[in-house]
C-alpha cells in the first residue's frame, strides 16, 4: 500500500495517493510557522476567538461532507463520523469562548514575596508539532489545534498516513476561517521524517497520540533536545460491574463502550471485570447483544460496526484472539474474520483468560471484549490495575463506599462511574503509566504548551 494514501477499509481499494513532502518543503513549512509566530503571538484573544468561531461555523455547515470523508478514509460509521465532526465544532467553540479566562494572569500575595505586585502569566511556546492517529482523525487534531491556536501557538500537523484528506481538510478549514498563513500547516510526511522536524530548533514542543513505541521514540528525541511533550499512548481500560449495578444499563453501555469507533478507541472499555455474583448473567446478556450487532458497510445507516481501519490492524486483532483461543480461552461469539472484501472483524467476546496469556496484558484495538470474573471488590481493583496502561476506566455500582474506592484506587487518568468514558472539552484528558503523560482539553490542556512565567515587581 502506498505510504500516504486514502484506502477504503470497506473494500481494500486505494482511492487516492499523495506525494510526501520534500526536505525543502518541510524546511519551508517550519520557516513559515516560525515567522508567523512572531506576530501571531501578539494577536489578542478576541481576534483569535473570531477565527476559531469561524472555523466552527464552517465545519458545522460541512459536517456531512466531512463525515463521508472520514468514513472513506478509516471506516467509521457515518453516524459516528458526523458525531465526531460536531464534537470538533463544540471543541472549537469551547476554547474560543473560554481561552482568555483559562489563561488569565494568576496573582500572588505580593506582600509575602516583598513585591508591589506579583503574578504568573501564561505565554505561548511557539511552533508545536502534533503527531496524530487515524482513529479519530479530526477530533484528535482539533483538540490540539483549538487550544494551541487560542493560546497563541502555531501548529504543524503530521497526521497518520492513511487519513491524508482529513489532515489537509483541517489546514484548509483554518485557513478559510481567517487564520493567517503559517498558523496551522499539514505536513504530508512519513513517520521517518518526524525526528528531523522535532530536532529543528525552531520547533518548540510536540504532542503525540498513538502507539507506545511511537511515544517512546518522540519522547526520547524530545528529551535529547530538552523539549516539552504531551503523550497519549492508548490503554486497556477496565469496565467493572458490581452486584448493586443496574445490570441492564451496564450491559448496554458495555456493548457501546467496546464497539465504539469499530472498537478502535484508546478509551474504549476493553477488559470487563464482573463480580462473581452476577458474572454468568452479565456474560449471557453481553454476548447476546454483541453477537446481534450488524457488521457491514459503514455508509449504511443500519450498520453497527464497520471495518477496521487497516489490514495490518485486522490481522493483529485476529492473531491476538487466535492465540488466546489456542491457549484455552473461550470464544463466546465472533472470533473469525468475515469472508468478504475489506478489513472486517466481528464483535467478539472472550472469557476464561488466564494471566499467562498475552491477551491478559495486551491492548486489543478492535471489537474484542475480554471478560474476567472477580470474587470481590478487592480482586476487581487488582485485575483492573494489572496492566501497564492507565488511561480511562469505568465502574458500575450504586454503593457509595465502592464508588469512593474505585475513584481512589483505580490507576488511571479518568474514572467514570455508571457511565462510559468520554472526552469532553471541559474535562482534562490523559493517562498515567504507559498510557503517557500530560493532559489535553480543559484548562490543563491549553496550558500544556504555555510558558508559565513568574512576574515580580518591586
Amino acid at each position: 500500500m502506498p505510504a500516504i494514501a486514502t484506502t477504503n477499509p470497506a473494500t481494500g481499494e486505494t482511492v487516492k495517493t499523495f506525494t510526501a513532502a520534500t526536505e525543502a518543503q518541510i524546511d519551508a513549512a517550519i520557516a513559515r510557522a516560525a515567522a508567523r509566530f512572531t506576530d501571531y503571538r501578539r494577536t489578542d484573544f478576541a481576534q483569535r476567538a473570531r477565527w476559531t468561531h469561524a472555523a466552527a461555523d464552517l465545519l458545522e455547515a460541512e459536517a456531512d461532507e466531512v463525515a463521508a470523508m472520514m468514513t472513506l478514509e478509516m471506516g467509521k460509521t457515518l453516524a459516528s463520523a458526523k458525531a465526531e465532526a460536531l464534537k470538533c465544532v463544540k471543541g472549537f467553540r469551547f476554547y474560543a469562548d473560554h481561552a482568555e479566562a483559562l489563561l488569565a494572569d494568576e496573582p500572588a500575595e505580593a506582600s509575602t514575596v516583598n513585591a508591589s505586585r506579583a503574578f504568573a502569566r501564561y505565554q505561548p511556546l511557539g511552533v508545536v508539532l502534533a503527531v496524530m492517529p487515524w482513529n479519530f482523525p479530526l477530533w484528535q487534531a482539533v483538540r490540539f489545534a483549538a487550544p494551541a491556536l487560542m493560546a497563541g501557538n502555531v501548529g504543524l500537523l503530521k497526521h497518520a498516513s492513511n487519513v491524508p484528506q482529513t489532515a489537509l481538510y483541517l489546514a484548509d478549514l483554518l485557513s478559510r476561517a481567517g487564520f493567517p498563513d503559517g498558523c496551522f500547516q499539514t505536513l504530508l510526511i512519513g513517520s521517518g521524517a518526524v525526528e528531523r522536524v522535532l530536532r529543528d530548533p525552531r520547533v518548540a514542543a510536540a504532542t503525540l497520540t498513538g502507539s507506545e513505541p511511537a511515544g517512546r521514540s518522540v519522547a526520547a528525541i524530545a528529551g535529547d533536545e530538552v523539549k516539552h511533550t504531551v503523550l497519549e499512548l492508548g490503554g486497556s481500560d477496565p469496565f467493572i460491574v458490581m452486584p448493586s449495578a443496574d445490570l441492564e444499563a451496564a450491559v448496554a453501555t458495555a456493548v457501546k463502550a467496546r464497539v465504539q469507533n469499530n472498537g478502535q478507541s484508546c478509551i474504549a472499555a476493553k477488559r470487563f471485570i464482573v463480580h462473581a455474583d452476577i458474572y454468568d448473567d452479565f456474560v449471557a446478556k453481553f454476548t447476546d447483544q454483541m453477537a446481534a450487532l450488524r457488521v457491514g458497510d459503514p455508509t449504511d445507516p443500519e450498520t453497527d460496526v464497520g471495518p477496521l481501519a487497516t489490514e495490518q490492524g485486522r490481522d493483529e486483532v485476529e492473531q491476538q484472539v487466535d492465540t488466546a483461543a489456542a491457549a484455552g480461552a473461550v470464544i463466546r461469539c465472533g472470533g473469525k474474520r468475515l469472508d468478504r472484501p475489506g478489513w472486517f472483524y466481528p464483535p467478539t467476546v472472550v472469557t476464561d483468560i488466564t494471566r499467562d496469556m498475552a491477551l491478559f496484558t495486551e491492548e486489543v484495538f478492535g471489537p474484542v471484549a475480554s471478560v474476567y470474573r472477580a470474587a470481590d471488590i478487592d480482586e476487581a481493583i487488582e485485575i483492573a490495575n494489572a496492566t501497564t496502561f492507565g488511561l480511562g476506566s469505568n465502574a458500575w455500582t450504586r454503593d457509595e463506599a465502592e464508588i469512593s474506592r474505585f475513584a481512589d484506587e483505580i490507576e488511571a487518568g479518568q474514572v467514570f462511574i455508571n457511565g462510559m468514558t468520554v472526552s469532553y472539552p471541559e474535562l482534562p484528558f490523559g493517562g498515567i503509566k504507559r498510557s503517557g503523560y500530560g493532559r489535553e482539553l480543559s484548562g490543563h490542556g491549553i496550558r500544556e504548551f504555555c510558558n508559565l512565567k513568574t512576574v515580580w515587581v518591586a
Side-chain angles (χ1 to χ4, degrees):
M1 186 177 72
I4 302 176
T6 297
T7 299
N8 186 347
T11 64
E13 175 192 6
T14 296
V15 177
K16 190 173 184 179
T17 60
F18 296 80
T19 302
T22 64
E23 288 287 317
Q25 289 170 327
I26 294 171
D27 189 70
I30 297 172
R32 232 177 352 259
R36 176 56 62 197
F37 175 66
T38 61
D39 56 37
Y40 180 71
R41 66 179 301 176
R42 294 182 174 86
T43 58
D44 60 27
F45 283 107
Q47 177 59 74
R48 296 175 207 161
R50 283 192 289 273
W51 291 328
T52 303
H53 271 298
D57 294 343
L58 285 169
L59 177 55
E60 188 170 41
E62 298 165 359
D64 288 330
E65 175 187 349
V66 173
M69 177 178 62
M70 289 191 283
T71 295
L72 173 66
E73 291 208 298
M74 61 72 57
K76 67 173 70 222
T77 64
L78 271 176
S80 63
K82 176 74 172 288
E84 179 175 342
L86 295 179
K87 185 172 186 174
C88 293
V89 171
K90 179 182 177 181
F92 276 131
R93 289 175 177 159
F94 173 81
Y95 280 108
D97 292 338
H98 298 286
E100 184 170 11
L102 294 172
L103 297 178
D105 289 348
E106 298 178 354
E109 186 62 47
S111 62
T112 64
V113 292
N114 300 317
S116 63
R117 63 186 187 275
F119 56 90
R121 173 165 292 174
Y122 292 98
Q123 294 184 310
L125 292 181
V127 181
V128 183
L129 170 66
V131 182
M132 293 288 111
W134 47 259
N135 57 335
F136 291 95
L138 196 62
W139 171 239
Q140 298 278 9
V142 165
R143 76 186 195 193
F144 154 73
L149 291 170
M150 280 303 304
N153 294 295
V154 298
L156 294 173
L157 172 63
K158 185 278 181 234
H159 218 322
S161 293
N162 59 327
V163 291
Q165 293 189 59
T166 305
L168 292 168
Y169 170 81
L170 179 57
D172 178 65
L173 173 72
L174 294 168
S175 176
R176 288 186 288 127
F179 282 96
D181 179 57
C183 278
F184 190 90
Q185 301 171 80
T186 287
L187 298 177
L188 292 183
I189 58 176
S191 57
V194 170
E195 180 171 1
R196 176 249 191 279
V197 177
L198 187 50
R199 288 194 183 277
D200 191 292
R202 294 167 293 185
V203 174
T207 180
L208 176 142
T209 298
S211 68
E212 186 181 337
R216 287 177 180 274
S217 176
V218 165
I221 296 165
D224 188 50
E225 296 289 337
V226 197
K227 294 181 179 181
H228 180 66
T229 54
V230 171
L231 303 180
E232 193 262 277
L233 309 180
S236 189
D237 291 8
F239 188 107
I240 301 171
V241 186
M242 299 298 287
S244 67
D246 179 336
L247 188 60
E248 298 299 328
V251 170
T253 304
V255 173
K256 182 179 180 181
R258 179 59 287 221
V259 302
Q260 62 171 309
N261 210 42
N262 304 340
Q264 302 162 122
S265 170
C266 297
I267 55 171
K270 299 182 177 78
R271 297 177 299 128
F272 298 83
I273 304 161
V274 186
H275 192 283
D277 291 353
I278 55 170
Y279 177 87
D280 291 337
D281 198 10
F282 177 91
V283 170
K285 294 176 185 295
F286 184 51
T287 301
D288 285 348
Q289 291 187 31
M290 288 282 281
L293 295 171
R294 180 174 175 178
V295 181
D297 180 355
T299 66
D300 184 341
E302 299 299 316
T303 293
D304 298 307
V305 180
L308 298 190
T310 66
E311 184 176 19
Q312 179 183 353
R314 191 274 313 276
D315 292 348
E316 288 177 355
V317 168
E318 180 179 53
Q319 185 272 329
Q320 288 173 301
V321 174
D322 289 349
T323 300
V330 176
I331 309 301
R332 301 282 182 146
C333 70
K336 296 294 180 184
R337 71 164 71 179
L338 301 188
D339 185 17
R340 58 178 292 174
W343 303 314
F344 292 89
Y345 197 85
T348 299
V349 177
V350 186
T351 62
D352 300 85
I353 300 162
T354 58
R355 292 177 183 246
D356 58 339
M357 296 179 187
L359 198 62
F360 185 85
T361 56
E362 293 176 346
E363 176 184 22
V364 182
F365 219 58
V368 176
S370 303
V371 188
Y372 302 87
R373 185 193 305 264
D376 52 29
I377 188 172
D378 293 327
E379 186 176 19
I381 292 172
E382 188 276 324
I383 295 172
N385 292 337
T387 173
T388 58
F389 296 108
L391 186 56
S393 61
N394 312 259
W396 287 73
T397 176
R398 292 167 172 164
D399 185 296
E400 284 298 326
E402 290 178 348
I403 290 174
S404 180
R405 285 198 62 188
F406 288 135
D408 284 343
E409 297 179 33
I410 293 178
E411 297 169 355
Q414 300 145 95
V415 179
F416 278 62
I417 306 296
N418 297 327
M420 189 176 86
T421 305
V422 178
S423 60
Y424 294 96
E426 299 86 350
L427 295 175
F429 182 93
I432 60 171
K433 301 197 287 190
R434 291 188 179 178
S435 286
Y437 51 75
R439 291 294 180 267
E440 297 176 285
L441 302 176
S442 76
H444 298 280
I446 195 170
R447 297 178 195 121
E448 283 284 359
F449 295 111
C450 290
N451 172 31
L452 181 57
K453 179 184 287 184
T454 295
V455 178
W456 181 97
V457 181

